[in-house]
Amino acid sequence: MEKRKLVLTIIGVVILAMVIMVYIYFSKPGRDELENVTPGSEEYRGFLLDNVLHSPNEGDIHYNVYIPDAYDGTKEYALYVTLPGYQGLYFQGVGENIRTEDFGFEAQKYITDMIIVAPQLNDWGQTSADQTIELTQYFLTHYIINPSKVYINGYSGGGETLSLVLAKQPELYTAALMCSSQWDGCSISKNQNKPKG
């Protein structure tokens, strides 16, 4: 009887130790690239909808994303960020930005091996600009991205957000396209990199 108690006690201790080790492993920061992301569950035309980046600085950032099937982290991909107009903001409904705007789908026609991120922001002000920068930096850090092929567009209110993004961190992007919008950011010198002579 004593032998049986000892064996059961040892088994109990081993199971408890395993539970503690699993808890420590899964609560460790930096465990994997999705540690701060809640992935979406619905798809639309190849995009995974309503992923959420939980940023300690910028709050929850909702976005839709297209990652090519061939992406395996062994070669660099281009990154394209498309900022929505008013009808595509998050409160309008999940995925409304890509259901009502074709920028992400048109981009696929130019570069097939490209990750496309379509954030669903909450406004077209500084908060959304900061969230766009945070989301771009997240993808640059957690995916294999060619830093010379990072593109962004903004439509209508998204264009106003784009102007604030470019006024704050233009070096993140290779090229930008502003559509049907107004410039709200500070001015950027167009002659900054112009050759002398």
Side-chain angles (χ1 to χ4, degrees):
M1 192 68 164
E2 290 298 317
K3 229 182 207 184
R4 186 168 183 226
K5 272 185 168 180
L6 180 61
V7 169
L8 289 174
T9 302
I10 292 171
I11 290 172
V13 169
V14 169
I15 289 172
L16 179 62
M18 289 172 60
V19 168
I20 291 170
M21 287 173 26
V22 167
Y23 173 78
I24 290 169
Y25 175 78
F26 281 103
S27 64
K28 210 188 305 183
R31 180 177 49 84
D32 65 37
E33 66 196 36
L34 298 177
E35 69 185 38
N36 292 326
V37 172
T38 301
S41 58
E42 182 186 347
E43 284 194 31
Y44 176 76
R45 293 177 64 183
F47 279 76
L48 183 61
L49 303 182
D50 204 21
N51 306 275
V52 184
L53 172 61
H54 305 285
S55 166
N57 300 321
E58 303 304 332
D60 286 350
I61 306 169
H62 294 264
Y63 65 95
N64 309 305
V65 65
Y66 170 79
I67 298 177
D69 290 337
Y71 178 82
D72 63 4
T74 60
K75 71 171 192 167
E76 292 184 332
Y77 274 62
L79 175 65
Y80 184 80
V81 180
T82 178
L83 303 177
Y86 179 79
Q87 79 288 347
L89 296 178
Y90 188 67
F91 71 87
Q92 301 282 19
V94 170
E96 282 304 303
N97 55 338
I98 59 173
R99 293 182 210 277
T100 59
E101 297 176 16
D102 286 336
F103 295 102
F105 304 111
E106 285 298 315
Q108 291 173 324
K109 296 176 183 176
Y110 292 90
I111 302 175
T112 55
D113 289 346
M114 181 160 55
I115 294 173
I116 302 171
V117 179
Q120 284 202 265
L121 305 168
N122 295 304
D123 62 23
W124 48 87
Q126 195 60 55
T127 298
S128 288
D130 291 340
Q131 288 185 339
T132 299
I133 290 167
E134 180 89 1
L135 191 58
T136 302
Q137 290 172 329
Y138 173 82
F139 273 85
L140 289 170
T141 303
H142 290 85
Y143 290 83
I144 307 299
I145 303 294
N146 183 335
S148 68
K149 293 183 177 180
V150 179
Y151 310 106
I152 189 168
N153 89 278
Y155 171 71
S156 188
E160 294 181 53
T161 300
L162 172 62
S163 70
L164 297 172
V165 167
L166 294 178
K168 196 165 189 176
Q169 285 202 259
E171 71 281 358
L172 284 178
Y173 306 94
T174 308
L177 173 66
M178 183 182 202
C179 304
S180 300
S181 192
Q182 70 181 20
W183 189 268
D184 284 348
C186 64
S187 62
I188 296 174
S189 173
K190 293 180 183 176
N191 297 323
Q192 202 169 20
N193 296 319
K194 189 175 180 181
K196 295 179 181 175

